[in-house]
Amino acid sequence: MKSVALLGATGSIGLQTIDVLRREPEAFELVAVSGGEQLSELAAIAREFRVARIGVISDQHREVLRDLVARDVEIVVGDDGLTSLSRDADIIVNAVLGFAGLPVTLSALSAGKRLALANKESLIAAAPLVDAVRSTPGATLLPIDSEHCAIHQCLASSSAQAGYPDVRRLLLTASGGPFRGWSHDQLRRATKEDALNHPTWSMGAKITIDSSTLMNKGLEVLEASALFGVGVDRVDVVVHPQSIVHSMVEYVDGSVLAQLSRPDMRLPIAYCLGLPERLDHAWGELDFTRALELTFEPPDLDAFPALTLAYEAARLGGAAPAWLSAANEVAVAAFLADRIAWHEIVGVVARVMDGYLPDPLRTLEDLVENDALARHRAHGIVGL
Ligand code: NDP
Ligand code: MG
């Protein structure tokens, strides 16, 4: 039996993790959870699994939750709370949204835990700091993000030397989002409803908007580079609208290995929980008795400039990826709050990146300052 701490339990990945855990009561014990605003949902999860500890974001949230759970449940608050929960179990699932997930990523790895990481923003912003704690004895970083989970599986046939010299490139697949094939004119009229209508995946609002701008894929290029230790010049993006091939690895002999399944995040979640074993649930089973069409095309870099911005941030290195991700969080929040139009989201990020002040990013304090500065600039642009 392995113990699990699930941070961000009330979100899209959090609830899908709950679904996996519910089916595997003999293999996993949920001991700690955290959430944001949805306190009654958080309390329901805590009661169902009889968790010992819960993390909330403020003292006010603690007061409300106190009346919803058993007296002997410990409630911890804020970043310190997340940090302590991230040292509390054999497996830490980081399903928190955005930069707020940073304490989970850093403390789980520095405590030598298995980190099942959905929260790509923390890894992208803090890549050099994550690298430093990843070598802690016992620490393992496994990606829940479906593309990176696919690559993790496809790399099993690599000799796995540092930098993967037998791999030519990693090929991240992208559905292309709801606006694939739209003209500039159509994109200028894109509504929130259009942008939230993802063709193949059901996800939280922020990542759904990121998928519509292709910023999600840009962030995933940075995520792949940080996870697997290969430069972004060896990470390419291929649009694959069916979301069946979750990503691919091209070896130096021209062989391309791919991982296929129906799009269902419970598969990568279960993979990260179960490794080295596979949990026996056919989350992603494909039906090959029916015709199945898989198509691939290059991304439209002109209509979706977010991808280019992400490659540029990678080449700048240092704190540039942290700026990109922070500015994007602010721009997406402004779009979701009806402050800016869809076609302005990436423009806000580009303007913030134009003012990037090179910083090598050596310490956590550097990172927090850079994140705050990028957010401040982005807030100035969106007027929030
Ligand atoms: P959701 O918005 O659905 O859920 C986010 C979770 O984080 C919720 O539990 C939320 O609490 C909590 N949360 C939000 N803000 C804070 C904060 N400031 N402090 C502490 N907790 C907070 O997001 P998703 O589940 O879609 O995404 C989570 C992460 O996983 C993101 O990094 C995303 O990029 C990544 N990911 C998601 C995929 C998906 O399919 N959804 C696929 C691949 C990656 P509450 O709801 O109670 O307010
Ligand atoms: Mg993904």
Side-chain angles (χ1 to χ4, degrees), residues 39-50 65 68-69:
L39 291 176
S40 47
E41 288 78 359
L42 186 61
I45 294 166
R47 287 195 302 265
E48 177 185 344
F49 288 86
R50 296 170 197 235
L65 192 69
L68 302 177
V69 294

Side-chain angles (χ1 to χ4, degrees), residues 120 145-148 207 216-217 220:
K120 64 191 89 182
D145 212 352
S146 56
E147 296 76 2
H148 307 76
I207 186 172
N216 182 49
K217 213 47 58 179
E220 290 184 350

Side-chain angles (χ1 to χ4, degrees), residues 4-248:
V4 177
L6 171 57
L7 295 322
T10 47
S12 161
I13 292 291
L15 293 176
Q16 292 180 84
T17 306
I18 291 291
D19 193 23
V20 174
L21 294 174
R22 224 175 243 143
R23 293 163 198 241
E24 290 285 341
E26 307 295 321
F28 303 104
E29 182 190 14
L30 184 63
V31 294
V33 290
S34 84
E37 299 301 333
Q38 302 188 74
L39 291 176
S40 47
E41 288 78 359
L42 186 61
I45 294 166
R47 287 195 302 265
E48 177 185 344
F49 288 86
R50 296 170 197 235
V51 303
R53 303 178 76 207
I54 311 181
V56 292
I57 54 181
S58 77
D59 289 329
Q60 288 92 315
H61 289 77
R62 174 164 53 186
E63 291 312 306
V64 176
L65 192 69
R66 188 68 281 168
D67 294 332
L68 302 177
V69 294
R71 295 311 297 175
D72 59 345
V73 174
E74 187 188 351
I75 305 178
V76 296
V77 178
D79 283 359
D80 291 345
L82 283 183
T83 299
S84 78
L85 298 184
S86 308
R87 298 183 168 145
D88 231 25
D90 302 319
I91 303 174
I92 315 300
V93 179
N94 187 354
V96 175
L97 181 68
F99 191 69
L102 182 67
V104 180
T105 296
L106 292 179
S107 47
L109 292 173
S110 56
K113 303 296 183 182
R114 172 183 295 192
L115 172 65
L117 181 71
N119 175 266
K120 64 191 89 182
E121 295 92 342
S122 60
L123 173 62
I124 291 160
L129 309 180
V130 171
D131 256 353
V133 288
R134 236 173 129 173
S135 51
T136 309
T140 318
L141 175 47
L142 292 176
I144 286 181
D145 212 352
S146 56
E147 296 76 2
H148 307 76
C149 185
I151 287 172
H152 193 271
Q153 296 175 62
C154 297
L155 283 173
S157 77
S158 163
S159 61
Q161 294 168 48
Y164 296 102
D166 52 357
V167 167
R168 179 160 297 136
R169 57 189 178 139
L170 309 179
L171 291 156
L172 291 178
T173 51
S175 70
F179 301 141
R180 184 175 66 92
W182 283 37
S183 68
H184 279 282
D185 267 1
Q186 286 174 304
L187 289 174
R188 288 188 78 79
R189 292 193 299 271
T191 65
K192 188 155 81 179
E193 200 190 354
D194 295 332
L196 285 170
N197 186 22
H198 196 280
T200 51
W201 292 100
S202 164
M203 309 178 282
K206 191 257 180 185
I207 186 172
T208 304
I209 301 305
D210 286 348
S211 299
S212 74
T213 59
L214 288 207
M215 182 59 86
N216 182 49
K217 213 47 58 179
L219 295 174
E220 290 184 350
V221 168
L222 291 157
E223 181 184 9
S225 172
L227 272 170
F228 302 111
V230 303
V232 290
D233 50 326
R234 288 166 66 203
V235 183
D236 285 339
V237 172
V238 182
V239 173
H240 164 55
Q242 296 82 12
S243 297
I244 297 289
V245 173
H246 295 296
S247 275
M248 304 178 270

